[in-house]
Amino acid sequence: MTSTAGVVTRRDEILAIAAGGFATSGFEGCSVRDIAEQANILSGSLYHHFASKDEMVVEILARYWERLFGAYDDVLARRLSPELTLRGLVLASLEVAEQCPNEVRILHQDWHYLVAVTDDLDTNMARVEQTFTDAIEAGGAAGLFRADIDPAIAYRTIMGAVAWVTRWHRPDGQFTMAEVGELQASLWLGGLSAQRSTS
């Protein structure tokens, strides 16, 4: 995502470099000097763009959340059945993860540090959970999903697997990210199906 549609600014370039460094070396392992060297500027010059590494990672994640929630809103705006909504949310999560693999890795490997840096981390994760559990609860209310599965546990099981995909998926591998998403969604929907529990 860029500051202005279609325009990549110097700030955007630095953020992309920082995101790659944080994802590869960890937030604490990637220094301002490392980022500056890759951006071909002096360390001091970096502070003309950002006050600190904290500011960089906060903006990197803010752009990720904006893209993720925009994708979720697109799914919800279609007013699909609970099954199709859940499927759409899984696919949207993986599509954004494919677009933002560094951001996803930063979230998972540096969560303990990020909690102290940004105030909205828990709020955003709660919004993700609510979006998924709303779809799961709607499926239960309609008699489509099993009543014996707690929606929060179902969500955490789904998201745990979805989030891990960026760790092992390879763009040049046997399956595209979309194909992985379709397979995962089929597994979750099959497991949640009320018909399965009565068969």
Side-chain angles (χ1 to χ4, degrees), residues 132-147:
F132 271 81
T133 55
D134 282 349
I136 295 168
E137 289 172 354
L144 300 170
F145 294 162
R146 294 168 56 179

PDB file of all heavy atoms in Angstrom, residues 132-147:
ATOM      1  N   PHE A 132     -14.914 -13.292  12.595  1.00  0.00           N
ATOM      2  CA  PHE A 132     -15.037 -14.729  12.337  1.00  0.00           C
ATOM      3  C   PHE A 132     -16.107 -15.363  13.209  1.00  0.00           C
ATOM      4  O   PHE A 132     -16.915 -16.168  12.721  1.00  0.00           O
ATOM      5  CB  PHE A 132     -13.688 -15.422  12.580  1.00  0.00           C
ATOM      6  CG  PHE A 132     -12.797 -15.460  11.381  1.00  0.00           C
ATOM      7  CD1 PHE A 132     -12.030 -14.356  11.034  1.00  0.00           C
ATOM      8  CD2 PHE A 132     -12.717 -16.587  10.583  1.00  0.00           C
ATOM      9  CE1 PHE A 132     -11.197 -14.377   9.928  1.00  0.00           C
ATOM     10  CE2 PHE A 132     -11.892 -16.626   9.468  1.00  0.00           C
ATOM     11  CZ  PHE A 132     -11.134 -15.512   9.138  1.00  0.00           C
ATOM     12  N   THR A 133     -16.123 -15.034  14.497  1.00  0.00           N
ATOM     13  CA  THR A 133     -17.101 -15.683  15.372  1.00  0.00           C
ATOM     14  C   THR A 133     -18.524 -15.277  15.027  1.00  0.00           C
ATOM     15  O   THR A 133     -19.457 -16.075  15.206  1.00  0.00           O
ATOM     16  CB  THR A 133     -16.809 -15.377  16.857  1.00  0.00           C
ATOM     17  OG1 THR A 133     -16.743 -13.964  17.064  1.00  0.00           O
ATOM     18  CG2 THR A 133     -15.505 -16.022  17.301  1.00  0.00           C
ATOM     19  N   ASP A 134     -18.712 -14.059  14.517  1.00  0.00           N
ATOM     20  CA  ASP A 134     -20.052 -13.661  14.072  1.00  0.00           C
ATOM     21  C   ASP A 134     -20.547 -14.594  12.970  1.00  0.00           C
ATOM     22  O   ASP A 134     -21.717 -15.013  12.968  1.00  0.00           O
ATOM     23  CB  ASP A 134     -20.040 -12.225  13.552  1.00  0.00           C
ATOM     24  CG  ASP A 134     -20.035 -11.186  14.663  1.00  0.00           C
ATOM     25  OD1 ASP A 134     -20.241 -11.560  15.839  1.00  0.00           O
ATOM     26  OD2 ASP A 134     -19.819  -9.994  14.364  1.00  0.00           O
ATOM     27  N   ALA A 135     -19.663 -14.914  12.027  1.00  0.00           N
ATOM     28  CA  ALA A 135     -20.046 -15.813  10.925  1.00  0.00           C
ATOM     29  C   ALA A 135     -20.318 -17.216  11.442  1.00  0.00           C
ATOM     30  O   ALA A 135     -21.272 -17.884  11.018  1.00  0.00           O
ATOM     31  CB  ALA A 135     -18.942 -15.839   9.870  1.00  0.00           C
ATOM     32  N   ILE A 136     -19.485 -17.676  12.385  1.00  0.00           N
ATOM     33  CA  ILE A 136     -19.666 -19.021  12.939  1.00  0.00           C
ATOM     34  C   ILE A 136     -20.955 -19.094  13.758  1.00  0.00           C
ATOM     35  O   ILE A 136     -21.722 -20.071  13.665  1.00  0.00           O
ATOM     36  CB  ILE A 136     -18.445 -19.405  13.794  1.00  0.00           C
ATOM     37  CG1 ILE A 136     -17.193 -19.507  12.902  1.00  0.00           C
ATOM     38  CG2 ILE A 136     -18.683 -20.728  14.519  1.00  0.00           C
ATOM     39  CD1 ILE A 136     -15.886 -19.601  13.668  1.00  0.00           C
ATOM     40  N   GLU A 137     -21.215 -18.059  14.550  1.00  0.00           N
ATOM     41  CA  GLU A 137     -22.450 -18.032  15.346  1.00  0.00           C
ATOM     42  C   GLU A 137     -23.684 -17.950  14.457  1.00  0.00           C
ATOM     43  O   GLU A 137     -24.718 -18.567  14.754  1.00  0.00           O
ATOM     44  CB  GLU A 137     -22.411 -16.849  16.312  1.00  0.00           C
ATOM     45  CG  GLU A 137     -21.420 -17.038  17.445  1.00  0.00           C
ATOM     46  CD  GLU A 137     -21.250 -15.790  18.287  1.00  0.00           C
ATOM     47  OE1 GLU A 137     -21.819 -14.740  17.911  1.00  0.00           O
ATOM     48  OE2 GLU A 137     -20.542 -15.868  19.312  1.00  0.00           O
ATOM     49  N   ALA A 138     -23.585 -17.212  13.349  1.00  0.00           N
ATOM     50  CA  ALA A 138     -24.714 -17.128  12.417  1.00  0.00           C
ATOM     51  C   ALA A 138     -25.003 -18.494  11.809  1.00  0.00           C
ATOM     52  O   ALA A 138     -26.165 -18.881  11.626  1.00  0.00           O
ATOM     53  CB  ALA A 138     -24.417 -16.109  11.315  1.00  0.00           C
ATOM     54  N   GLY A 139     -23.931 -19.237  11.517  1.00  0.00           N
ATOM     55  CA  GLY A 139     -24.105 -20.586  10.984  1.00  0.00           C
ATOM     56  C   GLY A 139     -24.748 -21.508  11.997  1.00  0.00           C
ATOM     57  O   GLY A 139     -25.590 -22.347  11.646  1.00  0.00           O
ATOM     58  N   GLY A 140     -24.378 -21.341  13.269  1.00  0.00           N
ATOM     59  CA  GLY A 140     -24.983 -22.151  14.320  1.00  0.00           C
ATOM     60  C   GLY A 140     -26.448 -21.814  14.500  1.00  0.00           C
ATOM     61  O   GLY A 140     -27.294 -22.707  14.642  1.00  0.00           O
ATOM     62  N   ALA A 141     -26.770 -20.518  14.480  1.00  0.00           N
ATOM     63  CA  ALA A 141     -28.153 -20.083  14.661  1.00  0.00           C
ATOM     64  C   ALA A 141     -29.051 -20.570  13.529  1.00  0.00           C
ATOM     65  O   ALA A 141     -30.242 -20.830  13.730  1.00  0.00           O
ATOM     66  CB  ALA A 141     -28.215 -18.557  14.750  1.00  0.00           C
ATOM     67  N   ALA A 142     -28.466 -20.718  12.344  1.00  0.00           N
ATOM     68  CA  ALA A 142     -29.237 -21.181  11.187  1.00  0.00           C
ATOM     69  C   ALA A 142     -29.292 -22.698  11.105  1.00  0.00           C
ATOM     70  O   ALA A 142     -29.913 -23.253  10.185  1.00  0.00           O
ATOM     71  CB  ALA A 142     -28.627 -20.610   9.903  1.00  0.00           C
ATOM     72  N   GLY A 143     -28.654 -23.380  12.050  1.00  0.00           N
ATOM     73  CA  GLY A 143     -28.642 -24.836  12.052  1.00  0.00           C
ATOM     74  C   GLY A 143     -27.687 -25.436  11.033  1.00  0.00           C
ATOM     75  O   GLY A 143     -27.759 -26.632  10.740  1.00  0.00           O
ATOM     76  N   LEU A 144     -26.776 -24.621  10.521  1.00  0.00           N
ATOM     77  CA  LEU A 144     -25.830 -25.085   9.508  1.00  0.00           C
ATOM     78  C   LEU A 144     -24.541 -25.620  10.127  1.00  0.00           C
ATOM     79  O   LEU A 144     -23.917 -26.526   9.585  1.00  0.00           O
ATOM     80  CB  LEU A 144     -25.490 -23.940   8.541  1.00  0.00           C
ATOM     81  CG  LEU A 144     -26.674 -23.343   7.780  1.00  0.00           C
ATOM     82  CD1 LEU A 144     -26.243 -22.072   7.056  1.00  0.00           C
ATOM     83  CD2 LEU A 144     -27.225 -24.361   6.792  1.00  0.00           C
ATOM     84  N   PHE A 145     -24.152 -25.042  11.277  1.00  0.00           N
ATOM     85  CA  PHE A 145     -22.920 -25.439  11.953  1.00  0.00           C
ATOM     86  C   PHE A 145     -23.251 -26.162  13.249  1.00  0.00           C
ATOM     87  O   PHE A 145     -24.305 -25.941  13.858  1.00  0.00           O
ATOM     88  CB  PHE A 145     -22.050 -24.226  12.264  1.00  0.00           C
ATOM     89  CG  PHE A 145     -21.507 -23.513  11.054  1.00  0.00           C
ATOM     90  CD1 PHE A 145     -21.037 -22.213  11.158  1.00  0.00           C
ATOM     91  CD2 PHE A 145     -21.446 -24.131   9.812  1.00  0.00           C
ATOM     92  CE1 PHE A 145     -20.518 -21.537  10.061  1.00  0.00           C
ATOM     93  CE2 PHE A 145     -20.943 -23.481   8.698  1.00  0.00           C
ATOM     94  CZ  PHE A 145     -20.479 -22.182   8.820  1.00  0.00           C
ATOM     95  N   ARG A 146     -22.350 -26.990  13.682  1.00  0.00           N
ATOM     96  CA  ARG A 146     -22.542 -27.789  14.886  1.00  0.00           C
ATOM     97  C   ARG A 146     -22.706 -26.909  16.121  1.00  0.00           C
ATOM     98  O   ARG A 146     -21.981 -25.934  16.315  1.00  0.00           O
ATOM     99  CB  ARG A 146     -21.351 -28.713  15.075  1.00  0.00           C
ATOM    100  CG  ARG A 146     -21.237 -29.772  13.998  1.00  0.00           C
ATOM    101  CD  ARG A 146     -19.896 -30.479  14.039  1.00  0.00           C
ATOM    102  NE  ARG A 146     -19.615 -31.067  15.337  1.00  0.00           N
ATOM    103  CZ  ARG A 146     -18.508 -31.753  15.608  1.00  0.00           C
ATOM    104  NH1 ARG A 146     -17.584 -31.917  14.668  1.00  0.00           N
ATOM    105  NH2 ARG A 146     -18.313 -32.259  16.799  1.00  0.00           N
ATOM    106  N   ALA A 147     -23.651 -27.283  16.969  1.00  0.00           N
ATOM    107  CA  ALA A 147     -23.923 -26.521  18.185  1.00  0.00           C
ATOM    108  C   ALA A 147     -22.957 -26.871  19.306  1.00  0.00           C
ATOM    109  O   ALA A 147     -22.860 -26.149  20.296  1.00  0.00           O
ATOM    110  CB  ALA A 147     -25.358 -26.784  18.645  1.00  0.00           C
TER     111      ALA A 147
END
